[in-house]
Amino acid sequence: MKKFLAALLSILLFLHLIVIVLPVEAGAASGDDSLALYAQSAVLMDADTGRILYAKNAEEQRPMASTTKIMTLILALENANPDDIVMISDYAASMPDVQLHLRAGEHYRLGDLLYSMMLESHNDSAVAIAEHVGETVPGFAALMNAKTRDIGCYATYFITPNGLDAEDDTGVHSTTAADLARILRYCIMQSPKKEEFLKITRTNAYSFSDLEGIRTFTVGNKNAFLHMMEGALTGKTGFTGNAGYCYVGALRQEERTFIVALLACGWPNNRSYKWSDTRKLMNYGLEHFTYRNVWQEPKLPKLPVKNGIPDSGNLEEEARIRLRLSSEEPDLKLLLSEDEQVQVETHISQEVTAPVEPGTLLGSVRYLLDGQVVKVYTVEAAEDVEAVTLGWCLEGLWRKYIL
């Protein structure tokens, strides 16, 4: 009987392992996959606030292929002039497909190479741009990584300007879906060159020549999403053997701007998976999230003022001060789903010591969503309160007991 039970236990344990292991081997991912996405990592972000609305393995580092080029573009726009002249190096001309087939020694206008890089994802153009802006590819990568930290992305590491698979002593060329969405958010919402970024990435076709006038090129935009949904704003595709198909893009409808970032979204022959996932996530955002006014008029108490002169001038009364918000707003609109609720917390000092001047900061009113602060209003003194002095006390006593 003991042998039978032992054998039965072994069989059950084996079956249990099958249940646990097989889905992982088939590519199932931890995290929220309620939308049944193909991508192994995915994010839907509210571009206005940077809040992540949907995530699947959003913080897992993965190679990101040519989606890298959004960072290359924004750095070139911010650090160089589109009319700069770029000379093509042997190294830039040696880049593998996809390429413009640049030749060493040729000269091009920087702005023209930006269109080549973004519309058709030419790897040689990306390296030529990087060498012009950063002097060398490692020098440009240093700029990319510094900018990444400035944006607030700490799980991203750049080695190449074009996204080709790479690894060095520090790490692997990689990002996360969350960081990739944050980088595009910077490019289209925060950068001083955001309009130039959008203009280039939204262009359907562009023609140019080398500065010697020997060769002429026409490049067409490979971002099919621009024609898939109303309000499609921008985006960049990518593919390498390690990264799989990747995509990052944005859509704007009725004041709402959504960003989708996808990593490892299939391998050949699954080129269309990224478009299916992008539409699914964008539609999820459009269907589930709308702007709601969550403004609440705060109830601000009068605050006791230690050693302060009361309004009445009565020695026996306690001085108290009126409070106000430093910046009153008639409404506060946040992009929320139907079941999301905002919590409002008021934090006010228990007591303040005179003298107090108008505008003195005395607390805050915070709006929170899922425990995260989404808006803070500072609370300040609405009036001044002078400190009690010996002269004021003597004058009060004189009026009360002598006059």
Side-chain angles (χ1 to χ4, degrees), residues 11 49 69 94 109 119-120 139 144 157 174 186 194 218 229 246 278 286 288 317 321 323 346 350 382 394:
I11 292 171
T49 63
K69 289 166 181 161
S94 72
R109 179 178 167 273
L119 271 58
E120 294 208 9
M144 298 173 85
Y157 182 57
S174 59
Y186 172 79
K194 60 187 178 183
T218 296
M229 294 186 69
C246 303
T278 299
L286 292 170
H288 289 83
E317 290 186 11
I321 192 170
L323 303 178
T346 302
Q350 294 299 309
L394 291 175

Side-chain angles (χ1 to χ4, degrees), residues 303-321:
L303 186 65
V305 180
K306 185 178 180 181
N307 198 38
I309 298 175
D311 289 338
S312 65
N314 189 336
L315 278 170
E316 298 173 357
E317 290 186 11
E318 179 184 49
R320 303 181 74 84
I321 192 170

Side-chain angles (χ1 to χ4, degrees), residues 332-364:
L332 173 59
K333 293 182 178 179
L334 295 177
L335 194 63
L336 303 171
S337 64
E338 185 176 342
D339 58 349
E340 285 182 312
Q341 298 297 324
V342 171
Q343 298 80 45
V344 182
E345 295 181 353
T346 302
H347 301 269
I348 304 295
S349 302
Q350 294 299 309
E351 185 181 64
V352 62
T353 301
V356 180
E357 296 181 354
T360 301
L361 296 182
L362 298 173
S364 65

Side-chain angles (χ1 to χ4, degrees), residues 198-247:
L198 287 171
K199 178 183 176 182
I200 291 173
T201 57
R202 291 173 56 82
T203 298
N204 286 324
Y206 185 82
S207 297
F208 63 96
S209 302
D210 67 314
L211 294 184
E212 287 79 12
I214 298 173
R215 296 201 291 159
T216 299
F217 308 87
T218 296
V219 291
N221 201 323
K222 302 303 183 185
N223 180 15
F225 178 66
L226 290 175
H227 308 288
M228 287 182 182
M229 294 186 69
E230 180 185 352
L233 193 62
T234 185
K236 185 69 190 77
T237 59
F239 174 81
T240 67
N242 286 342
Y245 291 110
C246 303
Y247 185 68

Side-chain angles (χ1 to χ4, degrees), residues 8-253:
L8 181 60
L9 181 61
S10 297
I11 292 171
L12 290 173
L13 179 59
F14 175 71
L15 291 174
H16 177 68
L17 288 173
I18 291 177
V19 171
I20 293 175
V21 174
L22 286 182
V24 176
E25 293 175 345
S30 61
D32 187 348
D33 194 18
S34 57
L35 294 182
L37 302 173
Y38 292 110
Q40 293 182 20
S41 292
V43 152
L44 173 68
M45 174 181 284
D46 170 18
D48 287 315
T49 63
R51 186 166 75 98
I52 293 177
L53 309 175
Y54 183 96
K56 173 185 175 183
N57 300 326
E59 304 297 340
E60 289 192 15
Q61 287 180 281
R62 302 180 188 274
M64 63 289 212
S66 286
T67 59
T68 295
K69 289 166 181 161
I70 64 172
M71 177 61 85
T72 302
L73 174 59
I74 204 65
L75 279 177
L77 290 172
E78 291 182 353
N79 292 279
N81 189 317
D83 290 324
D84 287 352
I85 297 173
V86 178
M87 187 180 76
I88 307 306
S89 69
D90 290 330
Y91 182 64
S94 72
M95 288 296 105
D97 287 341
V98 176
Q99 57 185 177
L100 185 61
H101 299 288
L102 296 171
R103 299 168 184 169
E106 291 180 320
H107 295 82
Y108 290 84
R109 179 178 167 273
L110 175 64
D112 295 337
L113 293 179
L114 296 179
Y115 282 92
S116 166
M117 176 181 69
M118 296 307 294
L119 271 58
E120 294 208 9
S121 204
H122 291 141
N123 293 321
D124 48 357
S125 296
V127 169
I129 293 164
E131 290 179 331
H132 176 76
V133 177
E135 297 185 356
T136 65
V137 167
F140 189 76
L143 293 176
M144 298 173 85
N145 289 315
K147 190 68 175 183
T148 299
R149 303 299 178 266
D150 291 343
I151 294 171
C153 302
Y154 302 102
T156 297
Y157 182 57
F158 289 110
I159 300 174
T160 72
N162 48 27
L164 292 176
D165 294 328
E167 184 175 359
D168 61 18
D169 293 339
T170 303
V172 174
H173 187 89
S174 59
T175 190
T176 66
D179 272 5
L180 185 57
R182 292 182 187 110
I183 293 170
L184 184 61
R185 177 178 180 245
Y186 172 79
C187 293
I188 68 172
M189 305 294 288
Q190 299 170 311
S191 170
K193 296 294 182 178
K194 60 187 178 183
E195 296 303 327
E196 291 89 336
F197 180 96
L198 287 171
K199 178 183 176 182
I200 291 173
T201 57
R202 291 173 56 82
T203 298
N204 286 324
Y206 185 82
S207 297
F208 63 96
S209 302
D210 67 314
L211 294 184
E212 287 79 12
I214 298 173
R215 296 201 291 159
T216 299
F217 308 87
T218 296
V219 291
N221 201 323
K222 302 303 183 185
N223 180 15
F225 178 66
L226 290 175
H227 308 288
M228 287 182 182
M229 294 186 69
E230 180 185 352
L233 193 62
T234 185
K236 185 69 190 77
T237 59
F239 174 81
T240 67
N242 286 342
Y245 291 110
C246 303
Y247 185 68
V248 60
L251 175 145
R252 182 172 292 158
Q253 280 191 25

